[in-house]
Amino acid sequence: SQQGEEDPQALSIQEGENATMNCSYKTSINNLQWYRQNSGRGLVHLILIRSNEREKHSGRLRVTLDTSKKSSSLLITASRAADTASYFCATGPTGGGNKLTFGTGTQLKVEL
Amino acid sequence: DAGITQSPRHKVTETGTPVTLRCHQTENHRYMYWYRQDPGHGLRLIHYSYGVKDTDKGEVSDGYSVSRSKTEDFLLTLESATSSQTSVYFCAISESRSQGAYEQYFGPGTRLTVT
């Protein structure tokens, strides 16, 4: 069963706009991670936020985590056509551990 | 793709035949994983390894076996391929970080079609 569920399933925006995607999960976690997957490629790790953190930034990426609502959001600012990809959240189990549980992903299309 | 290769990259096989997929890493990471990716299901864990000869089942392990005889290689075998095993298979690796967090690094994937 999937721990994370992304919302929306698909998102289409214009270049320069911001893109926001959300992830909800069901059980307590140690950390939450976001990955990007370009068409036909493997997943690439973007950012990790721990359960005791509320917000984290990396370049044009901003991730928030609300453990009381069991949800996270990924914001991509000033999007580019190269950001077109699928984005997945993944949760690490409470207490730590190497197994991640992935959501079903959000497909982002950034149009010129 | 972080020093991870998968072979073959594409394979078409017939129902009932055994198939072995190989994952090779040059990062010396302790943990290795096999996932399958299907539309509407995201990534699902098949098996993983936490060291040489140490493996464990994941969420969808039925019909699959694995072996890890060397740190760098993790093999996934479909003992008797079925059409339901048509999928894209990804290998991933990880190493322990602080506070129990593990980032995973993925290979390029193997597209398997069972006819």
Side-chain angles (χ1 to χ4, degrees):
Chain A
S1 61
Q2 298 299 324
Q3 161 77 310
E5 295 292 336
E6 284 91 341
D7 171 58
Q9 290 188 338
L11 179 62
S12 183
I13 59 174
Q14 298 295 312
E15 197 170 49
E17 294 180 338
N18 295 341
T20 299
M21 51 205 87
N22 304 294
C23 170
S24 59
Y25 57 92
K26 299 173 184 173
T27 60
S28 296
I29 61 172
N30 171 279
N31 64 88
L32 187 142
Q33 304 178 32
W34 285 91
Y35 289 78
R36 183 188 75 236
Q37 184 181 32
N38 292 94
S39 182
R41 305 290 295 272
L43 279 70
V44 174
H45 182 268
L46 294 176
I47 195 166
L48 180 153
I49 186 165
R50 299 182 190 278
S51 60
N52 61 354
E53 297 176 312
R54 291 298 166 258
E55 188 171 312
K56 204 161 184 181
H57 297 254
S58 177
R60 293 185 296 113
L61 305 180
R62 173 179 169 253
V63 169
T64 61
L65 178 64
D66 187 335
T67 54
S68 67
K69 295 182 179 178
K70 292 187 170 60
S71 68
S72 173
S73 67
L74 172 67
L75 169 67
I76 303 173
T77 59
S79 62
R80 306 165 181 167
D83 294 328
T84 294
S86 292
Y87 291 81
F88 294 87
C89 67
T91 53
T94 224
N98 63 298
K99 287 167 59 177
L100 299 178
T101 303
F102 286 83
T104 52
T106 291
Q107 290 187 352
L108 173 65
K109 184 174 182 180
V110 181
E111 300 185 87
L112 295 170
Chain B
D1 290 316
I4 309 168
T5 57
Q6 293 184 231
S7 58
R9 294 293 313 280
H10 302 271
K11 185 169 182 68
V12 179
T13 192
E14 294 184 347
T15 298
T17 59
V19 176
T20 295
L21 309 183
R22 180 181 183 240
C23 176
H24 179 78
Q25 61 146 328
T26 58
E27 306 296 324
N28 201 35
H29 280 19
R30 176 183 177 187
Y31 299 94
M32 298 186 75
Y33 312 80
W34 277 107
Y35 293 92
R36 59 178 292 173
Q37 185 175 36
D38 305 288
H41 290 280
L43 260 68
R44 292 181 290 175
L45 182 65
I46 304 171
H47 282 280
Y48 69 99
S49 169
Y50 46 97
V52 173
K53 297 185 179 173
D54 291 325
T55 65
D56 204 351
K57 296 180 180 180
E59 180 187 355
V60 289
S61 60
D62 287 348
Y64 302 94
S65 62
V66 290
S67 66
R68 190 170 179 197
S69 58
K70 298 185 288 185
T71 298
E72 57 266 35
D73 290 326
F74 193 31
L75 304 180
L76 176 70
T77 297
L78 288 64
E79 293 136 11
S80 177
T82 68
S83 59
S84 64
Q85 294 175 312
T86 292
S87 187
V88 180
Y89 291 86
F90 287 98
C91 174
I93 64 174
S94 72
E95 191 52 83
S96 59
R97 303 291 183 208
S98 63
Q99 301 175 45
Y102 296 75
E103 303 165 11
Q104 293 187 8
Y105 301 92
F106 284 78
T110 294
R111 184 173 295 275
L112 176 68
T113 303
V114 184
T115 61

mmCIF file of all heavy atoms in Angstrom, chain A residues 60-112:
data_model
loop_
_atom_site.group_PDB
_atom_site.id
_atom_site.type_symbol
_atom_site.label_atom_id
_atom_site.label_comp_id
_atom_site.label_asym_id
_atom_site.label_seq_id
_atom_site.Cartn_x
_atom_site.Cartn_y
_atom_site.Cartn_z
ATOM 1 N N ARG A 60 15.657 26.698 -5.974
ATOM 2 C CA ARG A 60 14.279 27.133 -6.260
ATOM 3 C C ARG A 60 13.234 26.241 -5.591
ATOM 4 O O ARG A 60 12.026 26.408 -5.815
ATOM 5 C CB ARG A 60 14.060 27.142 -7.777
ATOM 6 C CG ARG A 60 14.880 28.187 -8.508
ATOM 7 C CD ARG A 60 14.535 28.237 -9.994
ATOM 8 N NE ARG A 60 14.876 26.990 -10.680
ATOM 9 C CZ ARG A 60 13.996 26.157 -11.195
ATOM 10 N NH1 ARG A 60 12.697 26.408 -11.131
ATOM 11 N NH2 ARG A 60 14.393 25.054 -11.821
ATOM 12 N N LEU A 61 13.666 25.302 -4.791
ATOM 13 C CA LEU A 61 12.752 24.379 -4.122
ATOM 14 C C LEU A 61 12.510 24.813 -2.683
ATOM 15 O O LEU A 61 13.444 25.202 -1.979
ATOM 16 C CB LEU A 61 13.313 22.960 -4.120
ATOM 17 C CG LEU A 61 13.702 22.346 -5.453
ATOM 18 C CD1 LEU A 61 14.236 20.937 -5.241
ATOM 19 C CD2 LEU A 61 12.535 22.340 -6.418
ATOM 20 N N ARG A 62 11.245 24.718 -2.294
ATOM 21 C CA ARG A 62 10.891 24.958 -0.893
ATOM 22 C C ARG A 62 9.961 23.834 -0.462
ATOM 23 O O ARG A 62 8.945 23.585 -1.102
ATOM 24 C CB ARG A 62 10.197 26.302 -0.720
ATOM 25 C CG ARG A 62 9.644 26.554 0.679
ATOM 26 C CD ARG A 62 9.000 27.930 0.755
ATOM 27 N NE ARG A 62 8.241 28.089 1.993
ATOM 28 C CZ ARG A 62 6.907 28.099 2.077
ATOM 29 N NH1 ARG A 62 6.175 27.941 0.986
ATOM 30 N NH2 ARG A 62 6.310 28.266 3.235
ATOM 31 N N VAL A 63 10.334 23.159 0.611
ATOM 32 C CA VAL A 63 9.530 22.053 1.126
ATOM 33 C C VAL A 63 9.040 22.422 2.520
ATOM 34 O O VAL A 63 9.795 22.953 3.330
ATOM 35 C CB VAL A 63 10.346 20.750 1.183
ATOM 36 C CG1 VAL A 63 9.589 19.674 1.957
ATOM 37 C CG2 VAL A 63 10.663 20.265 -0.217
ATOM 38 N N THR A 64 7.781 22.143 2.777
ATOM 39 C CA THR A 64 7.230 22.303 4.121
ATOM 40 C C THR A 64 6.720 20.952 4.599
ATOM 41 O O THR A 64 6.366 20.082 3.801
ATOM 42 C CB THR A 64 6.085 23.325 4.146
ATOM 43 O OG1 THR A 64 5.027 22.868 3.303
ATOM 44 C CG2 THR A 64 6.574 24.693 3.683
ATOM 45 N N LEU A 65 6.703 20.802 5.894
ATOM 46 C CA LEU A 65 6.217 19.569 6.505
ATOM 47 C C LEU A 65 5.345 19.929 7.695
ATOM 48 O O LEU A 65 5.769 20.699 8.570
ATOM 49 C CB LEU A 65 7.386 18.689 6.961
ATOM 50 C CG LEU A 65 7.031 17.378 7.653
ATOM 51 C CD1 LEU A 65 6.276 16.445 6.696
ATOM 52 C CD2 LEU A 65 8.280 16.697 8.178
ATOM 53 N N ASP A 66 4.146 19.402 7.727
ATOM 54 C CA ASP A 66 3.229 19.579 8.849
ATOM 55 C C ASP A 66 2.893 18.197 9.386
ATOM 56 O O ASP A 66 2.031 17.496 8.846
ATOM 57 C CB ASP A 66 1.964 20.315 8.391
ATOM 58 C CG ASP A 66 1.040 20.680 9.540
ATOM 59 O OD1 ASP A 66 1.093 20.002 10.595
ATOM 60 O OD2 ASP A 66 0.255 21.618 9.386
ATOM 61 N N THR A 67 3.590 17.785 10.428
ATOM 62 C CA THR A 67 3.379 16.437 10.953
ATOM 63 C C THR A 67 2.023 16.285 11.632
ATOM 64 O O THR A 67 1.507 15.170 11.704
ATOM 65 C CB THR A 67 4.498 16.051 11.930
ATOM 66 O OG1 THR A 67 4.604 17.060 12.938
ATOM 67 C CG2 THR A 67 5.830 15.911 11.209
ATOM 68 N N SER A 68 1.440 17.374 12.106
ATOM 69 C CA SER A 68 0.123 17.270 12.734
ATOM 70 C C SER A 68 -0.947 16.943 11.701
ATOM 71 O O SER A 68 -1.937 16.279 12.002
ATOM 72 C CB SER A 68 -0.228 18.569 13.456
ATOM 73 O OG SER A 68 -0.413 19.634 12.541
ATOM 74 N N LYS A 69 -0.737 17.389 10.466
ATOM 75 C CA LYS A 69 -1.686 17.097 9.379
ATOM 76 C C LYS A 69 -1.194 15.960 8.502
ATOM 77 O O LYS A 69 -1.870 15.570 7.543
ATOM 78 C CB LYS A 69 -1.893 18.346 8.519
ATOM 79 C CG LYS A 69 -2.567 19.498 9.252
ATOM 80 C CD LYS A 69 -2.779 20.681 8.331
ATOM 81 C CE LYS A 69 -3.475 21.822 9.073
ATOM 82 N NZ LYS A 69 -3.653 23.014 8.201
ATOM 83 N N LYS A 70 -0.008 15.444 8.802
ATOM 84 C CA LYS A 70 0.593 14.388 7.992
ATOM 85 C C LYS A 70 0.617 14.805 6.521
ATOM 86 O O LYS A 70 0.099 14.091 5.632
ATOM 87 C CB LYS A 70 -0.129 13.063 8.182
ATOM 88 C CG LYS A 70 0.058 12.463 9.571
ATOM 89 C CD LYS A 70 -0.546 11.059 9.670
ATOM 90 C CE LYS A 70 -0.142 10.364 10.965
ATOM 91 N NZ LYS A 70 -0.563 11.081 12.156
ATOM 92 N N SER A 71 1.220 15.952 6.285
ATOM 93 C CA SER A 71 1.263 16.445 4.909
ATOM 94 C C SER A 71 2.532 17.245 4.672
ATOM 95 O O SER A 71 3.140 17.795 5.600
ATOM 96 C CB SER A 71 0.031 17.289 4.591
ATOM 97 O OG SER A 71 0.056 18.496 5.328
ATOM 98 N N SER A 72 2.913 17.309 3.394
ATOM 99 C CA SER A 72 4.083 18.066 2.964
ATOM 100 C C SER A 72 3.745 18.736 1.648
ATOM 101 O O SER A 72 2.881 18.265 0.890
ATOM 102 C CB SER A 72 5.272 17.132 2.788
ATOM 103 O OG SER A 72 6.377 17.814 2.215
ATOM 104 N N SER A 73 4.427 19.830 1.369
ATOM 105 C CA SER A 73 4.254 20.453 0.065
ATOM 106 C C SER A 73 5.622 20.773 -0.519
ATOM 107 O O SER A 73 6.583 21.043 0.204
ATOM 108 C CB SER A 73 3.421 21.728 0.172
ATOM 109 O OG SER A 73 4.126 22.718 0.894
ATOM 110 N N LEU A 74 5.693 20.689 -1.831
ATOM 111 C CA LEU A 74 6.893 21.048 -2.589
ATOM 112 C C LEU A 74 6.536 22.223 -3.481
ATOM 113 O O LEU A 74 5.607 22.120 -4.291
ATOM 114 C CB LEU A 74 7.370 19.872 -3.434
ATOM 115 C CG LEU A 74 8.500 20.168 -4.432
ATOM 116 C CD1 LEU A 74 9.797 20.505 -3.707
ATOM 117 C CD2 LEU A 74 8.713 18.990 -5.389
ATOM 118 N N LEU A 75 7.245 23.301 -3.322
ATOM 119 C CA LEU A 75 7.055 24.496 -4.151
ATOM 120 C C LEU A 75 8.280 24.670 -5.037
ATOM 121 O O LEU A 75 9.414 24.687 -4.543
ATOM 122 C CB LEU A 75 6.869 25.734 -3.271
ATOM 123 C CG LEU A 75 6.925 27.095 -3.980
ATOM 124 C CD1 LEU A 75 5.734 27.274 -4.915
ATOM 125 C CD2 LEU A 75 6.981 28.233 -2.962
ATOM 126 N N ILE A 76 8.036 24.780 -6.328
ATOM 127 C CA ILE A 76 9.098 25.100 -7.275
ATOM 128 C C ILE A 76 8.829 26.514 -7.763
ATOM 129 O O ILE A 76 7.788 26.789 -8.370
ATOM 130 C CB ILE A 76 9.114 24.133 -8.469
ATOM 131 C CG1 ILE A 76 9.248 22.688 -7.990
ATOM 132 C CG2 ILE A 76 10.260 24.477 -9.423
ATOM 133 C CD1 ILE A 76 9.109 21.661 -9.108
ATOM 134 N N THR A 77 9.736 27.419 -7.481
ATOM 135 C CA THR A 77 9.525 28.810 -7.879
ATOM 136 C C THR A 77 10.123 29.061 -9.262
ATOM 137 O O THR A 77 11.063 28.381 -9.685
ATOM 138 C CB THR A 77 10.158 29.781 -6.880
ATOM 139 O OG1 THR A 77 11.568 29.516 -6.810
ATOM 140 C CG2 THR A 77 9.550 29.601 -5.499
ATOM 141 N N ALA A 78 9.535 30.034 -9.959
ATOM 142 C CA ALA A 78 10.032 30.462 -11.271
ATOM 143 C C ALA A 78 10.333 29.259 -12.162
ATOM 144 O O ALA A 78 11.464 29.051 -12.596
ATOM 145 C CB ALA A 78 11.274 31.334 -11.108
ATOM 146 N N SER A 79 9.317 28.453 -12.405
ATOM 147 C CA SER A 79 9.520 27.176 -13.091
ATOM 148 C C SER A 79 10.069 27.362 -14.509
ATOM 149 O O SER A 79 9.854 28.382 -15.156
ATOM 150 C CB SER A 79 8.213 26.394 -13.140
ATOM 151 O OG SER A 79 7.252 27.114 -13.878
ATOM 152 N N ARG A 80 10.757 26.332 -14.958
ATOM 153 C CA ARG A 80 11.362 26.301 -16.292
ATOM 154 C C ARG A 80 10.869 25.079 -17.031
ATOM 155 O O ARG A 80 10.432 24.111 -16.412
ATOM 156 C CB ARG A 80 12.879 26.236 -16.164
ATOM 157 C CG ARG A 80 13.477 27.327 -15.304
ATOM 158 C CD ARG A 80 14.897 26.995 -14.924
ATOM 159 N NE ARG A 80 15.495 28.021 -14.068
ATOM 160 C CZ ARG A 80 16.623 27.875 -13.405
ATOM 161 N NH1 ARG A 80 17.307 26.751 -13.510
ATOM 162 N NH2 ARG A 80 17.087 28.859 -12.652
ATOM 163 N N ALA A 81 10.985 25.098 -18.335
ATOM 164 C CA ALA A 81 10.567 23.936 -19.116
ATOM 165 C C ALA A 81 11.305 22.679 -18.666
ATOM 166 O O ALA A 81 10.746 21.573 -18.676
ATOM 167 C CB ALA A 81 10.809 24.198 -20.603
ATOM 168 N N ALA A 82 12.546 22.844 -18.219
ATOM 169 C CA ALA A 82 13.347 21.703 -17.769
ATOM 170 C C ALA A 82 12.814 21.082 -16.478
ATOM 171 O O ALA A 82 13.235 19.980 -16.097
ATOM 172 C CB ALA A 82 14.798 22.122 -17.569
ATOM 173 N N ASP A 83 11.907 21.765 -15.795
ATOM 174 C CA ASP A 83 11.298 21.201 -14.585
ATOM 175 C C ASP A 83 10.196 20.203 -14.919
ATOM 176 O O ASP A 83 9.667 19.545 -14.012
ATOM 177 C CB ASP A 83 10.704 22.314 -13.713
ATOM 178 C CG ASP A 83 11.760 23.247 -13.153
ATOM 179 O OD1 ASP A 83 12.891 22.780 -12.895
ATOM 180 O OD2 ASP A 83 11.471 24.448 -12.984
ATOM 181 N N THR A 84 9.824 20.100 -16.178
ATOM 182 C CA THR A 84 8.817 19.129 -16.599
ATOM 183 C C THR A 84 9.290 17.731 -16.227
ATOM 184 O O THR A 84 10.347 17.278 -16.669
ATOM 185 C CB THR A 84 8.572 19.217 -18.112
ATOM 186 O OG1 THR A 84 7.972 20.486 -18.410
ATOM 187 C CG2 THR A 84 7.663 18.097 -18.592
ATOM 188 N N ALA A 85 8.502 17.063 -15.386
ATOM 189 C CA ALA A 85 8.896 15.754 -14.848
ATOM 190 C C ALA A 85 7.774 15.270 -13.944
ATOM 191 O O ALA A 85 6.798 15.982 -13.702
ATOM 192 C CB ALA A 85 10.190 15.868 -14.039
ATOM 193 N N SER A 86 7.944 14.071 -13.433
ATOM 194 C CA SER A 86 7.070 13.579 -12.361
ATOM 195 C C SER A 86 7.790 13.752 -11.037
ATOM 196 O O SER A 86 9.009 13.557 -10.959
ATOM 197 C CB SER A 86 6.728 12.107 -12.573
ATOM 198 O OG SER A 86 5.906 11.945 -13.707
ATOM 199 N N TYR A 87 7.030 14.106 -10.026
ATOM 200 C CA TYR A 87 7.606 14.359 -8.701
ATOM 201 C C TYR A 87 6.937 13.410 -7.703
ATOM 202 O O TYR A 87 5.713 13.283 -7.666
ATOM 203 C CB TYR A 87 7.386 15.813 -8.289
ATOM 204 C CG TYR A 87 8.200 16.761 -9.139
ATOM 205 C CD1 TYR A 87 7.741 17.140 -10.397
ATOM 206 C CD2 TYR A 87 9.437 17.220 -8.718
ATOM 207 C CE1 TYR A 87 8.498 17.977 -11.211
ATOM 208 C CE2 TYR A 87 10.199 18.064 -9.515
ATOM 209 C CZ TYR A 87 9.722 18.435 -10.760
ATOM 210 O OH TYR A 87 10.474 19.257 -11.561
ATOM 211 N N PHE A 88 7.784 12.760 -6.908
ATOM 212 C CA PHE A 88 7.309 11.764 -5.947
ATOM 213 C C PHE A 88 7.740 12.151 -4.538
ATOM 214 O O PHE A 88 8.875 12.594 -4.343
ATOM 215 C CB PHE A 88 7.902 10.391 -6.254
ATOM 216 C CG PHE A 88 7.454 9.802 -7.553
ATOM 217 C CD1 PHE A 88 8.121 10.093 -8.734
ATOM 218 C CD2 PHE A 88 6.376 8.934 -7.605
ATOM 219 C CE1 PHE A 88 7.718 9.556 -9.945
ATOM 220 C CE2 PHE A 88 5.962 8.384 -8.804
ATOM 221 C CZ PHE A 88 6.639 8.700 -9.969
ATOM 222 N N CYS A 89 6.845 11.951 -3.592
ATOM 223 C CA CYS A 89 7.266 12.034 -2.204
ATOM 224 C C CYS A 89 7.521 10.613 -1.704
ATOM 225 O O CYS A 89 6.960 9.640 -2.228
ATOM 226 C CB CYS A 89 6.225 12.735 -1.341
ATOM 227 S SG CYS A 89 4.656 11.872 -1.120
ATOM 228 N N ALA A 90 8.375 10.511 -0.717
ATOM 229 C CA ALA A 90 8.697 9.218 -0.123
ATOM 230 C C ALA A 90 8.904 9.424 1.368
ATOM 231 O O ALA A 90 9.513 10.420 1.784
ATOM 232 C CB ALA A 90 9.955 8.623 -0.758
ATOM 233 N N THR A 91 8.401 8.514 2.168
ATOM 234 C CA THR A 91 8.504 8.660 3.606
ATOM 235 C C THR A 91 9.412 7.591 4.191
ATOM 236 O O THR A 91 9.405 6.429 3.773
ATOM 237 C CB THR A 91 7.118 8.561 4.272
ATOM 238 O OG1 THR A 91 6.476 7.349 3.855
ATOM 239 C CG2 THR A 91 6.247 9.744 3.884
ATOM 240 N N GLY A 92 10.195 8.023 5.167
ATOM 241 C CA GLY A 92 11.041 7.111 5.919
ATOM 242 C C GLY A 92 10.373 6.783 7.238
ATOM 243 O O GLY A 92 9.762 7.655 7.863
ATOM 244 N N PRO A 93 10.477 5.537 7.686
ATOM 245 C CA PRO A 93 9.713 5.095 8.860
ATOM 246 C C PRO A 93 10.155 5.747 10.157
ATOM 247 O O PRO A 93 11.320 6.119 10.316
ATOM 248 C CB PRO A 93 9.976 3.587 8.898
ATOM 249 C CG PRO A 93 11.304 3.434 8.237
ATOM 250 C CD PRO A 93 11.357 4.485 7.177
ATOM 251 N N THR A 94 9.212 5.854 11.050
ATOM 252 C CA THR A 94 9.509 6.413 12.365
ATOM 253 C C THR A 94 10.567 5.562 13.040
ATOM 254 O O THR A 94 10.600 4.339 12.889
ATOM 255 C CB THR A 94 8.199 6.464 13.174
ATOM 256 O OG1 THR A 94 8.064 7.664 13.845
ATOM 257 C CG2 THR A 94 8.115 5.356 14.170
ATOM 258 N N GLY A 95 11.485 6.210 13.743
ATOM 259 C CA GLY A 95 12.589 5.475 14.361
ATOM 260 C C GLY A 95 13.766 5.301 13.432
ATOM 261 O O GLY A 95 14.798 4.752 13.818
ATOM 262 N N GLY A 96 13.622 5.746 12.210
ATOM 263 C CA GLY A 96 14.709 5.582 11.243
ATOM 264 C C GLY A 96 14.592 4.249 10.523
ATOM 265 O O GLY A 96 13.814 3.382 10.905
ATOM 266 N N GLY A 97 15.371 4.093 9.483
ATOM 267 C CA GLY A 97 15.292 2.862 8.724
ATOM 268 C C GLY A 97 15.498 3.134 7.256
ATOM 269 O O GLY A 97 15.213 4.224 6.772
ATOM 270 N N ASN A 98 15.963 2.122 6.547
ATOM 271 C CA ASN A 98 16.375 2.332 5.168
ATOM 272 C C ASN A 98 15.253 2.202 4.152
ATOM 273 O O ASN A 98 15.402 2.594 3.011
ATOM 274 C CB ASN A 98 17.485 1.339 4.808
ATOM 275 C CG ASN A 98 16.989 -0.098 4.892
ATOM 276 O OD1 ASN A 98 16.586 -0.566 5.951
ATOM 277 N ND2 ASN A 98 17.001 -0.792 3.775
ATOM 278 N N LYS A 99 14.111 1.665 4.543
ATOM 279 C CA LYS A 99 13.047 1.466 3.564
ATOM 280 C C LYS A 99 12.192 2.716 3.437
ATOM 281 O O LYS A 99 11.736 3.268 4.420
ATOM 282 C CB LYS A 99 12.175 0.282 3.975
ATOM 283 C CG LYS A 99 12.852 -1.055 3.778
ATOM 284 C CD LYS A 99 12.127 -2.191 4.473
ATOM 285 C CE LYS A 99 10.720 -2.363 4.006
ATOM 286 N NZ LYS A 99 10.076 -3.523 4.662
ATOM 287 N N LEU A 100 12.006 3.140 2.180
ATOM 288 C CA LEU A 100 11.135 4.267 1.901
ATOM 289 C C LEU A 100 9.845 3.762 1.272
ATOM 290 O O LEU A 100 9.838 2.745 0.581
ATOM 291 C CB LEU A 100 11.804 5.236 0.924
ATOM 292 C CG LEU A 100 13.105 5.883 1.376
ATOM 293 C CD1 LEU A 100 13.653 6.776 0.270
ATOM 294 C CD2 LEU A 100 12.889 6.673 2.651
ATOM 295 N N THR A 101 8.777 4.506 1.497
ATOM 296 C CA THR A 101 7.496 4.207 0.850
ATOM 297 C C THR A 101 7.154 5.389 -0.038
ATOM 298 O O THR A 101 7.050 6.518 0.438
ATOM 299 C CB THR A 101 6.387 3.974 1.879
ATOM 300 O OG1 THR A 101 6.786 2.921 2.760
ATOM 301 C CG2 THR A 101 5.102 3.563 1.182
ATOM 302 N N PHE A 102 6.977 5.105 -1.325
ATOM 303 C CA PHE A 102 6.775 6.163 -2.312
ATOM 304 C C PHE A 102 5.295 6.363 -2.603
ATOM 305 O O PHE A 102 4.499 5.430 -2.588
ATOM 306 C CB PHE A 102 7.479 5.793 -3.620
ATOM 307 C CG PHE A 102 8.967 5.937 -3.556
ATOM 308 C CD1 PHE A 102 9.751 4.931 -3.012
ATOM 309 C CD2 PHE A 102 9.587 7.084 -4.020
ATOM 310 C CE1 PHE A 102 11.128 5.061 -2.940
ATOM 311 C CE2 PHE A 102 10.963 7.224 -3.954
ATOM 312 C CZ PHE A 102 11.728 6.218 -3.409
ATOM 313 N N GLY A 103 4.956 7.603 -2.924
ATOM 314 C CA GLY A 103 3.630 7.918 -3.417
ATOM 315 C C GLY A 103 3.536 7.668 -4.904
ATOM 316 O O GLY A 103 4.473 7.192 -5.541
ATOM 317 N N THR A 104 2.377 8.017 -5.464
ATOM 318 C CA THR A 104 2.106 7.731 -6.875
ATOM 319 C C THR A 104 2.531 8.863 -7.795
ATOM 320 O O THR A 104 2.494 8.708 -9.007
ATOM 321 C CB THR A 104 0.621 7.429 -7.084
ATOM 322 O OG1 THR A 104 -0.153 8.484 -6.503
ATOM 323 C CG2 THR A 104 0.242 6.112 -6.424
ATOM 324 N N GLY A 105 2.902 10.007 -7.261
ATOM 325 C CA GLY A 105 3.526 11.042 -8.072
ATOM 326 C C GLY A 105 2.595 12.101 -8.625
ATOM 327 O O GLY A 105 1.394 11.885 -8.788
ATOM 328 N N THR A 106 3.173 13.268 -8.898
ATOM 329 C CA THR A 106 2.505 14.374 -9.601
ATOM 330 C C THR A 106 3.265 14.622 -10.901
ATOM 331 O O THR A 106 4.480 14.786 -10.878
ATOM 332 C CB THR A 106 2.518 15.669 -8.772
ATOM 333 O OG1 THR A 106 1.670 15.522 -7.640
ATOM 334 C CG2 THR A 106 2.045 16.855 -9.602
ATOM 335 N N GLN A 107 2.533 14.631 -12.015
ATOM 336 C CA GLN A 107 3.156 14.929 -13.308
ATOM 337 C C GLN A 107 3.079 16.430 -13.552
ATOM 338 O O GLN A 107 1.988 16.980 -13.657
ATOM 339 C CB GLN A 107 2.434 14.179 -14.426
ATOM 340 C CG GLN A 107 2.651 12.686 -14.395
ATOM 341 C CD GLN A 107 2.067 11.999 -15.625
ATOM 342 O OE1 GLN A 107 1.379 12.616 -16.431
ATOM 343 N NE2 GLN A 107 2.324 10.724 -15.767
ATOM 344 N N LEU A 108 4.211 17.062 -13.627
ATOM 345 C CA LEU A 108 4.281 18.500 -13.860
ATOM 346 C C LEU A 108 4.705 18.770 -15.296
ATOM 347 O O LEU A 108 5.713 18.238 -15.765
ATOM 348 C CB LEU A 108 5.280 19.146 -12.906
ATOM 349 C CG LEU A 108 5.573 20.630 -13.146
ATOM 350 C CD1 LEU A 108 4.328 21.479 -12.905
ATOM 351 C CD2 LEU A 108 6.739 21.098 -12.273
ATOM 352 N N LYS A 109 3.944 19.614 -15.964
ATOM 353 C CA LYS A 109 4.311 20.069 -17.306
ATOM 354 C C LYS A 109 4.458 21.573 -17.281
ATOM 355 O O LYS A 109 3.528 22.287 -16.897
ATOM 356 C CB LYS A 109 3.264 19.653 -18.333
ATOM 357 C CG LYS A 109 3.636 20.019 -19.757
ATOM 358 C CD LYS A 109 2.640 19.471 -20.757
ATOM 359 C CE LYS A 109 3.060 19.794 -22.177
ATOM 360 N NZ LYS A 109 2.088 19.257 -23.167
ATOM 361 N N VAL A 110 5.612 22.047 -17.667
ATOM 362 C CA VAL A 110 5.868 23.471 -17.727
ATOM 363 C C VAL A 110 5.962 23.871 -19.188
ATOM 364 O O VAL A 110 6.854 23.412 -19.909
ATOM 365 C CB VAL A 110 7.166 23.850 -16.997
ATOM 366 C CG1 VAL A 110 7.379 25.362 -17.058
ATOM 367 C CG2 VAL A 110 7.118 23.360 -15.553
ATOM 368 N N GLU A 111 5.037 24.730 -19.601
ATOM 369 C CA GLU A 111 4.963 25.102 -21.017
ATOM 370 C C GLU A 111 5.609 26.451 -21.263
ATOM 371 O O GLU A 111 5.545 27.346 -20.421
ATOM 372 C CB GLU A 111 3.497 25.099 -21.445
ATOM 373 C CG GLU A 111 2.841 23.736 -21.267
ATOM 374 C CD GLU A 111 1.431 23.683 -21.797
ATOM 375 O OE1 GLU A 111 1.264 23.413 -23.008
ATOM 376 O OE2 GLU A 111 0.507 23.916 -21.010
ATOM 377 N N LEU A 112 6.205 26.561 -22.443
ATOM 378 C CA LEU A 112 6.889 27.808 -22.818
ATOM 379 C C LEU A 112 5.868 28.893 -23.141
ATOM 380 O O LEU A 112 4.766 28.617 -23.583
ATOM 381 C CB LEU A 112 7.798 27.560 -24.025
ATOM 382 C CG LEU A 112 8.955 26.610 -23.778
ATOM 383 C CD1 LEU A 112 9.620 26.257 -25.102
ATOM 384 C CD2 LEU A 112 9.958 27.251 -22.822
#
